[in-house]
Amino acid sequence: MRSIASIDDVGAALDSAGYLSEEGLSTITYLAIAMGRPLLLEGEPGAGKTALAESLAGGLGVPLIRLQCYEGIDASQALYDWDFTKQILHLRALEAAAVTGRDGPGGEAAAGIGEIETSLFDERFLLARPILRSLREGPCVLLIDEIDRADDEFEAFLLEVLSTNQVSIPELGTIRAEVAPIVVMTSNCTRELHDALKRRCLYHWIDHPGLEREVAIVRRRLPGVSERLARRLAGAVQTLRADERLVKPPGVAETLDWAAALAHLGRAELDLATAAATVGAVCKHRGDVEVVRASLDRLLRN
């Protein structure tokens, strides 16, 4: 794992992975690492929250373990579960061993009920989910993505685990992290998170970048795109973000998608025909596509 001793080290790690960070974000990321606290990133979709966690893992040279949240997610999807199929096969093998008098698949001799139950909840049948993996696998970045899509009960579960960096599995005991994971949580603000979880975290709001920084991001992530085209695209997207008619204003991710689409088509300029043909790279809502296509002439004159 790359050593992090200062804010500049964080900026350099992110830069090495192609992420252009600003000072405030580098500072709060450094503090989260130094203090051992989860980092909660909020902002509009496509602003670079998930990309920060991915780039941080890449820059530090550690694995990225991702937990994608969704409505109804519970501890079994986040922490651990048992491989029921293998347990059933194990039972059948024990039954066969009891009939023949031979040892079972794990070397067990014909055993009593208590021993059989114990063997069913052996480590080999454990399915480690993202949070358990992050506690066991040493230095890593744990990305808990779109936490706002989960419910209150899951927030409470996360709060308990992140406060202690350990989990208890009744059949196996307590598992503690030898090296605590670097935890990054993201939220698109579809609902308000509870204060208890926020108090546990360090917080940063990631806003959409200004024109110059967005141009720099495009040029860094897609070096084959010219300065002129990057500026043209970024300017158009900045204008679209200010259009209140759009249901889902484009983020930096959409700017990069648009630039990549033009690069694949071999276009060095953003003309009216090309913009109309590729608007689906920057707008991901039917109504928005219609609004943008109707105003492309004005948009490209700016």
Side-chain angles (χ1 to χ4, degrees):
M1 176 175 169
R2 181 174 183 162
S3 176
I4 297 295
S6 68
I7 297 169
D8 289 341
D9 289 342
V10 171
L14 292 172
D15 186 69
S16 70
Y19 190 98
L20 296 182
S21 178
E22 43 87 19
E23 185 177 1
L25 181 56
S26 293
T27 299
I28 203 70
T29 302
Y30 166 71
L31 291 174
I33 295 172
M35 297 168 64
R37 301 280 289 277
L39 176 59
L40 173 59
L41 301 176
E42 288 192 324
E44 297 295 330
K49 303 182 295 297
T50 299
L52 179 129
E54 295 169 344
S55 299
L56 185 60
L60 295 179
V62 299
L64 174 73
I65 298 177
R66 179 172 181 168
L67 173 62
Q68 178 63 53
C69 296
Y70 53 87
E71 185 177 353
I73 189 173
D74 60 25
S76 66
Q77 281 92 41
L79 190 54
Y80 74 94
D81 206 347
W82 294 102
D83 192 329
F84 299 118
T85 301
K86 286 186 177 180
Q87 286 175 319
I88 291 171
L89 291 174
H90 177 68
L91 271 178
R92 290 177 177 172
L94 288 179
E95 290 173 356
V99 171
T100 62
R102 291 181 292 185
D103 288 348
E108 308 93 335
I113 293 177
E115 292 175 324
I116 291 174
E117 288 179 349
T118 300
S119 72
L120 279 175
F121 295 99
D122 188 76
E123 179 78 28
R124 58 191 148 148
F125 302 122
L126 184 69
L127 296 174
R129 304 301 189 193
I131 289 180
L132 180 57
R133 285 174 51 211
S134 74
L135 296 178
R136 304 178 83 181
E137 293 186 11
C140 67
V141 173
L142 172 62
L143 168 61
I144 303 174
D145 213 9
E146 298 183 332
I147 180 62
D148 52 319
R149 297 179 64 183
D151 56 24
D152 296 349
E153 289 77 11
F154 189 73
E155 269 191 54
F157 157 74
L158 274 183
L159 182 62
E160 179 182 356
V161 172
L162 298 178
S163 296
T164 60
N165 284 314
Q166 67 179 38
V167 295
S168 293
I169 300 176
E171 299 85 358
L172 297 178
T174 300
I175 296 176
R176 297 178 178 85
E178 293 185 8
V179 179
I182 299 169
V183 180
V184 178
M185 290 188 286
T186 73
S187 169
N188 292 330
C189 301
T190 58
R191 69 172 178 87
E192 186 69 22
L193 301 180
H194 285 269
D195 288 342
L197 183 62
K198 284 189 172 183
R199 282 195 299 268
R200 177 61 191 157
C201 303
L202 299 186
Y203 176 87
H204 191 80
W205 174 271
I206 297 186
D207 209 348
H208 292 302
L211 177 61
E212 295 302 324
R213 186 159 173 263
E214 190 155 11
V215 171
I217 290 171
V218 173
R219 295 279 288 142
R220 181 60 190 274
R221 298 293 293 272
L222 299 166
V225 175
S226 69
E227 169 82 17
R228 174 183 170 83
L229 180 57
R231 187 168 296 276
R232 185 90 159 137
L233 289 168
V237 172
Q238 296 262 333
T239 301
L240 290 176
R241 286 192 195 120
D243 193 331
E244 296 181 354
R245 296 174 297 171
L246 297 187
V247 176
K248 297 183 182 297
V252 178
E254 282 69 44
T255 307
L256 292 170
D257 281 349
W258 206 5
L262 296 185
H264 280 294
L265 293 173
R267 302 289 195 272
E269 294 287 342
L270 183 63
D271 54 46
L272 189 60
T274 301
T278 58
V279 69
V282 72
C283 292
K284 312 296 173 67
H285 186 274
R286 180 182 177 183
D288 291 350
V289 169
E290 293 174 354
V291 168
V292 172
R293 278 184 173 152
S295 57
L296 276 176
D297 188 52
R298 174 184 58 80
L299 180 68
L300 297 182
R301 283 202 306 266
N302 293 339

